[in-house]
């Protein structure tokens, strides 16, 4: 049972496809989350700007280096106050849905954007959440037509979709096979941390385990502040973080999701090899504990 380890392509810089793919392959990654606008020169927001030949070149370059595109990153602000900006974001995401087949990928990933502009209103956080759901439902319906899955990532506190309960509501309301969850456990942990990591992970997997289409792997610490211990996130895995990756992997394997891509975040080329080695040890330990 071999894990599928990968990373965000743009964490290795912005280069032409063949050069970027070769750099990533040297880390040992076998898949990527690919944000077209960030990974390649030109900053093209729309896939059509690459042309059919350009998209084919990207797919061929990565395949030649033993790398698949596991997730296409098209992270948009689904709750922007400017409705024209929001509409452009939705059309951009829909264009990525249309281009997914050309890249050999069936998952498009996004977060939801900040609720901060709404917080001056009564129930502003809930308003932002509901606006996010409206936009995401549109994207999921578009994805259904193409056999694509929208991978939605929740971020505690800072985004419109911010809690396990939010994810539960979204799954129930959409009731669509085209909705997937990108599970970043560090992002979903609140600033105050969690009192019981096992209980937190159990709730996550009970709520959306079967919907997980990708895992984002990074780490965090709890550090002193004037308000007590607070989360310091976005640390490379394998440093001095406290995320229970053995616990994540045990539940992932038990849920029959052992082929879900596990993608490093916030990891430079200098740290990637060590981070993969750390995750492999955690994976091996998870398998061992499940066999006991």
């Amino acid at each position: 049972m071999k894990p599928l380890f990968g990373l965000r392509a743009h964490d290795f810089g912005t280069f032409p496809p063949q050069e970027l793919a070769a750099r990533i392959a040297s880390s040992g990654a076998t898949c990527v989350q690919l944000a077209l606008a960030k990974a390649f020169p030109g900053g093209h927001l729309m896939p059509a700007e690459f042309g059919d030949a350009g998209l084919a070149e990207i797919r061929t370059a990565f395949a030649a280096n033993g790398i698949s595109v596991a997730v296409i990153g098209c992270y948009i602000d689904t709750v922007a106050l400017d409705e024209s900006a929001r509409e452009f974001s939705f059309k951009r995401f829909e264009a990525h849905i249309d281009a997914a087949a050309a890249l050999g990928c069936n998952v498009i990933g996004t977060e939801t954007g900040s609720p901060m502009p709404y917080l001056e209103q009564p129930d502003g956080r809930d308003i932002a959440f509901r606006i996010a759901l409206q936009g995401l439902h549109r994207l999921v319906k578009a994805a259904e037509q193409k056999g694509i899955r929208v991978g939605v990532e929740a971020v505690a506190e800072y985004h419109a979709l911010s809690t396990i309960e939010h994810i539960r509501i979204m799954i129930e309301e959409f009731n669509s096979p085209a909705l997937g969850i990108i599970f970043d456990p560090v992002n979903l942990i609140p600033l105050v941390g969690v009192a019981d990591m096992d209980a937190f992970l159990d709730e996550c997997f009970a709520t959306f385990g079967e919907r997980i289409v990708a895992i984002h792997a990074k780490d965090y610490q709890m550090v002193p502040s004037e308000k007590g211990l607070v989360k310091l996130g976005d640390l490379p895995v394998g440093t001095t973080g406290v995320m229970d990756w053995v616990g994540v992997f045990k539940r992932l394997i038990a849920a029959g999701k052992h082929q879900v891509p596990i993608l490093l975040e916030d990891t430079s080329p200098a740290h990637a090899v060590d981070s993969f080695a750390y995750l492999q040890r955690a994976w091996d330990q998870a398998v061992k504990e499940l066999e006991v």
Side-chain angles (χ1 to χ4, degrees):
M1 188 184 299
K2 187 177 181 180
L4 185 61
F5 288 145
L7 44 77
R8 294 190 309 192
H10 62 273
D11 283 339
F12 271 53
T14 301
F15 298 98
Q18 183 58 45
E19 183 177 353
L20 180 58
R23 287 171 179 262
I24 291 170
S26 68
S27 73
T30 58
C31 61
V32 291
Q33 177 163 317
L34 182 63
L36 294 170
K38 295 181 178 181
F40 306 116
H44 301 309
L45 292 178
M46 292 292 189
E49 295 177 65
F50 291 89
D52 292 343
L55 294 176
E57 179 189 0
I58 292 167
R59 182 174 181 175
T60 299
F62 279 89
N65 284 275
I67 299 169
S68 64
V69 179
V71 178
I72 297 171
C74 182
Y75 280 42
I76 61 172
D77 185 352
T78 64
V79 293
L81 288 177
D82 185 330
E83 292 190 13
S84 62
R86 201 189 313 165
E87 178 64 20
F88 174 79
S89 291
F90 292 147
K91 288 187 179 302
R92 179 171 171 249
F93 196 99
E94 289 163 348
H96 280 70
I97 291 173
D98 291 339
L103 293 168
C105 181
N106 68 353
V107 176
I108 318 291
T110 187
E111 294 172 337
T112 53
S114 173
M116 290 299 293
Y118 297 86
L119 296 188
E120 293 182 359
Q121 307 175 51
D123 301 319
R125 192 171 289 275
D126 188 60
I127 291 170
F129 171 57
R130 285 292 161 185
I131 291 172
L133 286 190
Q134 291 173 11
L136 290 172
H137 195 257
R138 165 180 169 173
L139 301 180
V140 167
K141 287 297 182 183
E144 286 177 353
Q145 304 304 312
K146 298 284 186 175
I148 301 298
R149 300 187 81 180
V150 177
V152 185
E153 180 178 349
V155 182
E157 263 101 34
Y158 295 111
H159 282 235
L161 186 82
S162 61
T163 66
I164 298 172
E165 177 64 8
H166 280 170
I167 298 173
R168 183 194 63 77
I169 292 169
M170 178 175 63
I171 290 171
E172 290 184 356
E173 291 194 7
F174 289 10
N175 189 29
S176 172
L179 173 65
I181 301 298
I182 295 176
F183 181 33
D184 186 326
V186 171
N187 276 357
L188 199 48
I189 289 173
L191 287 176
V192 296
V194 291
D196 186 330
M197 179 65 74
D198 281 330
F200 167 75
L201 292 176
D202 283 344
E203 185 180 4
C204 287
F205 277 85
T207 303
F208 56 81
E210 65 179 17
R211 295 275 182 168
I212 294 175
V213 294
I215 299 283
H216 281 174
K218 55 178 179 274
D219 220 319
Y220 76 103
Q221 296 173 341
M222 297 302 296
V223 298
S225 76
E226 293 179 356
K227 298 181 180 180
L229 291 176
V230 296
K231 182 181 75 171
L232 173 65
D234 300 339
L235 302 176
V237 291
T239 52
T240 55
V242 297
M243 188 65 226
D244 180 12
W245 283 105
V246 174
V248 173
F249 292 159
K250 284 173 63 177
R251 291 166 176 82
L252 193 69
I253 295 166
K257 291 285 191 174
H258 56 277
Q259 286 301 309
V260 162
I262 300 160
L263 305 163
L264 297 179
E265 276 201 330
D266 301 302
T267 304
S268 69
H271 289 104
V273 173
D274 288 343
S275 291
F276 284 139
Y278 178 90
L279 289 177
Q280 183 66 60
R281 290 192 296 272
W283 183 274
D284 292 343
Q285 181 63 31
V287 170
K288 181 179 179 180
E289 292 184 15
L290 287 170
E291 290 175 346
V292 172

